[in-house]
């Protein structure tokens, strides 16, 4: 292991990593005992990490940050150098530290959230062109893909079902999977979110869609007995109504 390889590994070091089975951190740490320059660099790196962690613990995470990070984490493919495996895992953990500081207090598993939080988190994802896990101009393959992943899926409102599809992906809200299906109508993209209704107890089943606005976006939310729905369109409320269920 060269000094540069050791630095790359130690840059992602966390206390206890050297005790992991087949850990390359132990080998990198061993090199600090024989190289004074490397040891000095590592001490400065640890001090910097402690300072950053101290500041992060007092900074609230923006809404939707966790959603965007997880949604953009592509699956690992191909072969990697063996010593890079623990580095990759540690680097991913470092990337999520800001989110985990806030979310740790919320506990694990599925739980509910407010409609306002849900709207903000989902909107934070689509305000930039969302990466889709499946691209398709037909709704059939999209429904099949979502069903195979046991994500929420229900009857799509006729107004939006008549529009050409773009694709879909799975997001998450408070531990609940969220199905996102994107539709394209001319220059307008309509985003349909479907989540289990238990995630949003504030939405009462059978009530008409509730419209709200964020900047130039129109958002509509409603629920039936099983699912909660949200449609977001970068357009005026009048244009968004065509995608909603009829009263």
């Amino acid at each position: 292991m060269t000094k540069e390889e050791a630095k790359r590994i130690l840059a992602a070091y966390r206390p206890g990593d050297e005790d992991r089975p087949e850990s390359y951190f132990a080998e990198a740490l061993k090199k600090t005992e024989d190289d004074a320059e490397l040891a000095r660099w590592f001490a400065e790196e640890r001090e910097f990490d402690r300072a950053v962690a101290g500041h992060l613990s007092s900074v609230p995470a923006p809404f939707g940050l966790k959603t965007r990070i997880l949604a953009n984490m592509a699956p690992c493919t191909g072969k990697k150098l063996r010593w890079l495996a623990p580095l990759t895992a540690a680097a991913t953990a470092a990337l999520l530290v800001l989110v985990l500081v806030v979310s740790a207090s919320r506990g694990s598993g599925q739980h509910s959230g407010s409609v306002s939080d849900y709207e903000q988190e989902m909107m934070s994802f689509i305000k930039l062109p969302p990466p889709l896990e499946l691209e398709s101009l037909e709704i059939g393959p999209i429904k099949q893909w979502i069903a195979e992943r046991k994500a929420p899926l229900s009857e799509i409102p006729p107004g939006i079902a008549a529009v050409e599809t773009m694709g879909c992906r799975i997001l998450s809200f408070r531990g609940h999977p969220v199905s996102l299906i994107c539709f394209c109508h001319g220059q307008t993209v309509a985003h349909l979110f479907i989540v289990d209704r238990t995630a949003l107890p504030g939405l009462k089943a059978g009530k008409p869609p509730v419209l709200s606005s964020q900047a130039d976006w129109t958002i509509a939310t409603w629920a039936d007995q099983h699912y909660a729905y949200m449609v977001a369109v970068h357009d005026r409320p009048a244009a968004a109504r065509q995608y909603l269920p009829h009263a």
Side-chain angles (χ1 to χ4, degrees):
M1 181 183 295
T2 67
K3 181 187 292 188
E4 292 306 311
E5 289 174 342
K7 282 187 175 182
R8 284 194 289 269
I9 293 173
L10 292 173
Y13 171 81
R14 292 173 298 169
D17 279 337
E18 68 275 14
D19 297 327
R20 292 166 51 186
E22 300 182 2
S23 173
Y24 288 86
F25 288 105
E27 183 180 349
L29 287 169
K30 179 68 175 176
K31 288 190 70 68
T32 65
E33 300 175 5
D34 305 321
D35 189 320
E37 181 184 349
L38 181 62
R40 185 168 53 255
W41 172 89
F42 184 49
E44 294 173 353
E45 188 78 4
R46 295 288 308 281
E47 183 60 32
F48 176 77
D49 289 345
R50 282 191 288 268
V52 171
H55 285 294
L56 286 178
S57 63
S58 62
V59 177
F63 268 106
L65 178 60
K66 183 176 181 180
T67 298
R68 291 202 62 83
I69 290 176
L70 295 177
N72 284 281
M73 287 175 61
C76 297
T77 57
K79 295 183 178 179
K80 298 182 179 180
L81 294 175
R82 288 182 61 205
W83 65 268
L84 280 176
L87 176 59
T88 300
T92 300
L95 179 64
L96 290 172
V97 65
L98 176 59
V99 176
L100 295 179
V101 164
V102 176
S103 63
S105 62
R106 296 176 177 171
S108 59
Q110 294 183 337
H111 48 289
S112 62
S114 71
V115 176
S116 176
D117 287 355
Y118 179 70
E119 290 179 352
Q120 289 188 60
E121 292 192 26
M122 297 303 107
M123 288 300 297
S124 73
F125 180 72
I126 63 172
K127 282 182 177 178
L128 296 176
L132 301 176
E133 294 176 290
L134 174 69
E135 296 183 5
S136 175
L137 299 180
E138 299 179 358
I139 192 63
I142 290 176
K143 287 184 174 181
Q144 180 179 349
W145 187 89
I146 293 175
E148 288 173 352
R149 284 151 185 80
K150 296 180 171 56
L153 183 62
S154 183
E155 288 298 319
I156 297 174
I160 199 170
V163 179
E164 186 176 76
T165 58
M166 297 175 61
C168 64
R169 71 165 301 124
I170 307 300
L171 302 174
S172 179
F173 177 74
R174 305 296 189 269
H176 295 268
V178 181
S179 300
L180 165 62
I181 306 176
C182 296
F183 300 81
C184 184
H185 186 200
Q187 298 298 314
T188 301
V189 177
H191 306 83
L192 172 65
F193 299 86
I194 307 174
V195 68
D196 193 279
R197 195 168 70 86
T198 58
L200 298 172
L203 278 180
K204 303 305 180 183
K207 298 292 184 180
V210 177
L211 270 67
S212 60
S213 297
Q214 285 191 27
D216 297 328
W217 289 78
T218 299
I219 304 167
T221 53
W222 72 96
D224 60 22
Q225 294 297 328
H226 304 289
Y227 298 107
Y229 305 86
M230 170 177 152
V231 167
V233 181
H234 196 197
D235 209 332
R236 302 179 307 277
R241 291 184 186 279
Q242 65 182 304
Y243 305 117
L244 306 182
H246 301 300

